[in-house]
Amino acid sequence: MTPAAACSSRGLRPQRLRSQRPGLMSDSSFTTLDATTMDTATAYRLLVGAVVPRPVAWITTRGKNGVVNAAPFSSYNYVAHSPPMVAVNIGSREGQLKDTARNIMETGEFVVNVATFEGMELMHGSAADYLPEESEAEALGIDLIPSERVVPPRVAISPIQMECRLEQAITLGRGLNTLYIGEVLVFHLSSSVYDGRHVDSVKMRPIARLGGPLYAELGEVHHRPQLQKPPK
């Protein structure tokens, strides 16, 4: 006899199961904002506070003038695995391309260096405004390593570096943001975090971006079995 039938036989009203039909909660505890009429500054502040934690791509480029640029960007992730591709969103500043974006568009090359706790201070310092003819690497004493397939060098303190070739640049929204998608041509993986098959994310101590002036480390790591097979 089913639970509903048992209740009916006793003249009782069957109980609704939560898993079958979740109830609607009151939204009185939420603040609801219309994003379609929102100004840019407010939208940015909400997004960087809500979309967390965000990995940091510490990107190195070389301009046509030969100057090496190094700058961090947290609107970043991988977007394809066959071939491997990463994407970074770089906003314009007062209608002008940032040095990193300009260099990527002019040369079609860049290197994504994984930002970690060890290099956090240098990475954070490279976010300051520098003139196009100034190199953050020189100003901050960031050690660089020559790349193999692209002209921009790699950041030595980063345990993982990815040499990338620009695949496409997509202008988004009102034109203030451009998504730069790069194909990874070469992975450089330090033996301190790579065993020949897997990257040890815990040993790597990656730095994530939060809202405002905040960064974060991994914190407590929770293990769950994989429910889907990795791609082949």
Side-chain angles (χ1 to χ4, degrees):
M1 181 180 294
T2 66
C7 290
S8 298
S9 66
R10 294 194 300 268
L12 300 176
R13 186 176 181 178
Q15 296 293 314
R16 186 177 65 188
L17 299 177
R18 288 182 181 273
S19 59
Q20 293 177 338
R21 188 179 177 184
L24 294 177
M25 297 177 60
S26 170
D27 66 354
S28 60
S29 60
F30 290 84
T31 298
T32 301
L33 304 175
D34 185 355
T36 63
T37 60
M38 190 173 290
D39 63 272
T40 299
T42 300
Y44 175 80
R45 185 172 66 252
L46 292 176
L47 282 170
V48 299
V51 183
V52 293
R54 301 185 306 280
V56 179
W58 196 5
I59 296 180
T60 44
T61 56
R62 187 188 294 272
K64 286 187 173 181
N65 58 2
V67 174
V68 174
N69 177 264
F73 298 90
S74 63
S75 184
Y76 151 78
N77 216 314
Y78 93 91
V79 291
H81 50 69
S82 183
M85 293 185 178
V86 295
V88 57
N89 161 49
I90 303 177
S92 61
R93 179 179 296 152
E94 297 180 354
Q96 301 295 318
L97 290 179
K98 294 181 180 179
D99 294 341
T100 298
R102 184 190 65 251
N103 292 345
I104 291 175
M105 291 299 294
E106 289 181 351
T107 68
E109 298 179 340
F110 61 102
V111 177
V112 171
N113 307 274
V114 175
T116 65
F117 179 79
E118 184 180 6
M120 182 175 65
E121 296 304 328
L122 288 173
M123 177 271 294
H124 179 69
S126 69
D129 287 331
Y130 285 83
L131 296 175
E133 62 271 16
E134 294 180 310
S135 169
E136 292 88 349
E138 290 185 7
L140 299 171
I142 300 172
D143 292 329
L144 302 174
I145 308 173
S147 294
E148 294 185 4
R149 300 279 295 279
V150 300
V151 173
R154 302 174 276 146
V155 173
I157 200 171
S158 172
I160 297 181
Q161 308 125 6
M162 294 172 278
E163 298 183 24
C164 301
R165 177 178 58 208
L166 180 65
E167 172 69 19
Q168 57 181 307
I170 305 172
T171 302
L172 304 173
R174 300 186 182 96
L176 299 178
N177 300 92
T178 300
L179 187 69
Y180 299 88
I181 301 175
E183 178 183 350
V184 179
L185 304 178
V186 182
F187 288 93
H188 298 278
L189 306 126
S190 169
S191 58
S192 64
V193 300
Y194 182 63
D195 64 4
R197 181 173 173 80
H198 298 104
V199 173
D200 190 324
S201 301
V202 175
K203 286 184 179 179
M204 187 166 61
R205 296 187 71 182
I207 286 295
R209 199 72 167 87
L210 305 179
L214 303 178
Y215 291 94
E217 292 190 71
L218 288 179
E220 186 175 357
V221 177
H222 305 277
H223 179 272
R224 295 292 185 277
Q226 286 184 297
L227 301 182
Q228 296 184 16
K229 294 181 179 179
K232 295 182 178 180

